Amino acid sequence: MSERDRYIKAWGDRRARLFMLCVAVLGFAFTVRSSHWIAGLCFIGAMVGAYGYYEFRCPRCHQRFLPVLRAQIWFDNGRCQGCGLRVNLLPPDEGAGSA
Ligand SMILES: [Zn+2]
């Protein structure tokens, strides 16, 4: 697996974690008044999703992507806290220019 493929896989994983979090939060919001069991499961799913999103590691420096400081948890500035790598940024194509 090339470096570029590893980045593509990592950004896809980040999008999947964010999608799971959004689905669980929306599921909770839409079911909280009708079914407490389903809302409870969605709430647990949202907690797991939030933890998974928080635990996402930068593909370049392998540190947590989100800021660790509690005051900044709700503010995802789209950059890795460790190395400053922007979301969805790919390394230069290794094959470009050699062919
Ligand atoms: Zn990084």
Side-chain angles (χ1 to χ4, degrees):
M1 177 182 287
S2 72
E3 185 77 353
R4 187 177 175 86
D5 291 340
R6 199 172 62 76
Y7 274 50
I8 289 171
K9 186 178 176 192
W11 296 134
D13 179 43
R14 183 178 187 272
R15 281 190 291 273
R17 290 176 189 219
L18 185 60
F19 179 75
M20 179 195 168
L21 175 60
C22 290
V23 166
V25 168
L26 288 175
F28 176 77
F30 284 115
T31 59
V32 70
R33 289 188 178 191
S34 58
S35 171
H36 294 290
W37 280 105
I38 296 174
L41 291 175
C42 288
F43 182 79
I44 292 170
M47 294 296 104
V48 172
Y51 181 73
Y53 186 65
Y54 177 72
E55 280 294 312
F56 174 76
R57 301 284 171 161
C58 172
R60 183 160 65 187
C61 70
H62 305 287
Q63 294 187 30
R64 274 196 196 97
F65 200 82
L66 288 178
V68 179
L69 296 177
R70 192 170 185 185
Q72 296 177 331
I73 278 181
W74 297 107
F75 181 66
D76 179 3
N77 63 6
R79 284 183 181 272
C80 170
Q81 56 143 0
C83 67
L85 179 67
R86 291 203 61 84
V87 171
N88 297 329
L89 186 75
L90 299 176
D93 196 358
E94 295 153 0
S98 62

